[in-house]
Amino acid sequence: MFTGIIEELGRITHVERSADAARITVHGPRAVEGAKHGDSISVSGVCLTVVDFDEQGFTADVMAQTLAMSTLDEARDGLAVNLERAALLGDRLGGHIVQGHIDGTARVLEVRPGEAWRVVRFSLDAAHAPLVVDKGSIAVDGVSLTVSAVGTGTGDDPAAEWFEVSLIPETLQATTLGEREVGDRVNIETDILARHVARLHQFETRGALPSSIADAPEVHA
């Protein structure tokens, strides 16, 4: 589990591809402090397992499904990535609960700069739109952010959903989000609680909710 508070801006130093997978090496001295074989590290929001490491960084395998769902299909030497080690039990939860199991990717639709901050609008697939709410939490490239606005697009694609986040100077400087431009792809992970509620609702609408849940007494505040 992660919190979405980026610890280090790392960089991919080597990519070895096979027919249905890839092995990447990432430079990140802080990310490997106290590391062990098999540890989890979030790489731009994707939870990867450390298979080898030294004092300067680590190597991890990326399976085909992850390549298909994330921006790691574009991994290349020199690419900057956001790094976060798995949370320790007892740590302060500065962001929100992030699994590193992304829902897919989104594209930057608009960047609006302010005096000391920046608003970025991202596309949102129809399947993920119900899971994203105004003032809710979302992880973008592994960064825990608060949704500042949601809406439906207009113009050529009136059905297109979108969401916005407001980025403070620290986020712009300490993560890859400061480099994002219109058209760029990012990894997104919606809130875990929203995903569970949506799944339960699917069962409820089909009349297939497990009896242990369906028969539970209602709680009134």
Side-chain angles (χ1 to χ4, degrees):
M1 187 187 79
F2 307 93
T3 68
I5 304 300
I6 302 306
E7 297 184 291
E8 183 175 23
L9 194 58
R11 198 165 295 277
I12 294 176
T13 59
H14 183 68
V15 180
E16 180 182 340
R17 298 187 182 275
S18 60
D20 60 352
R23 172 166 287 198
I24 65 172
T25 300
V26 181
H27 179 264
R30 184 171 184 183
V32 293
E33 289 180 4
K36 303 184 299 296
H37 181 87
D39 279 357
S40 295
I41 295 179
S42 171
V43 179
S44 288
V46 181
C47 178
L48 297 181
T49 301
V50 174
V51 297
D52 194 15
F53 67 96
D54 58 25
E55 294 181 352
Q56 295 303 310
F58 64 96
T59 298
D61 291 318
V62 187
M63 62 182 180
Q65 182 184 17
T66 303
L67 292 173
M69 292 186 62
S70 76
T71 59
L72 290 182
D73 64 339
E74 300 173 351
R76 63 185 185 278
D77 293 5
L79 181 68
V81 289
N82 299 319
L83 301 178
E84 181 191 355
R85 292 169 292 182
L88 292 172
L89 189 63
D91 273 2
R92 290 183 177 87
L93 187 60
H96 71 285
I97 297 174
V98 178
Q99 293 183 297
H101 305 158
I102 68 166
D103 293 291
T105 63
R107 287 195 182 274
V108 177
L109 298 177
E110 183 183 353
V111 178
R112 302 197 305 275
E115 273 190 42
W117 48 281
R118 190 176 303 170
V119 174
V120 184
R121 179 177 292 189
F122 297 94
S123 63
L124 190 59
D125 288 346
H128 302 141
L131 308 177
V132 180
V133 298
D134 187 23
K135 304 305 183 289
S137 295
I138 193 167
V140 179
D141 274 351
V143 183
S144 174
L145 298 169
T146 299
V147 176
S148 57
V150 293
T152 300
T154 57
D156 294 336
D157 187 7
E161 306 285 346
W162 54 263
F163 72 95
E164 290 181 348
V165 296
S166 299
L167 305 178
I168 61 174
E170 173 64 19
T171 303
L172 294 171
Q173 295 172 9
T175 77
T176 59
L177 297 184
E179 302 175 357
R180 291 292 165 256
E181 300 176 344
V182 173
D184 286 352
R185 291 169 66 222
V186 295
N187 298 317
I188 62 167
E189 180 184 332
T190 56
D191 187 73
I192 177 86
L193 297 178
R195 297 204 301 268
H196 278 297
V197 170
R199 180 62 170 162
L200 286 171
H201 181 64
Q202 287 179 349
F203 279 96
E204 184 179 30
T205 54
R206 298 205 311 258
L209 199 65
S211 58
S212 59
I213 298 176
D215 298 338
E218 292 186 15
V219 176
H220 300 281

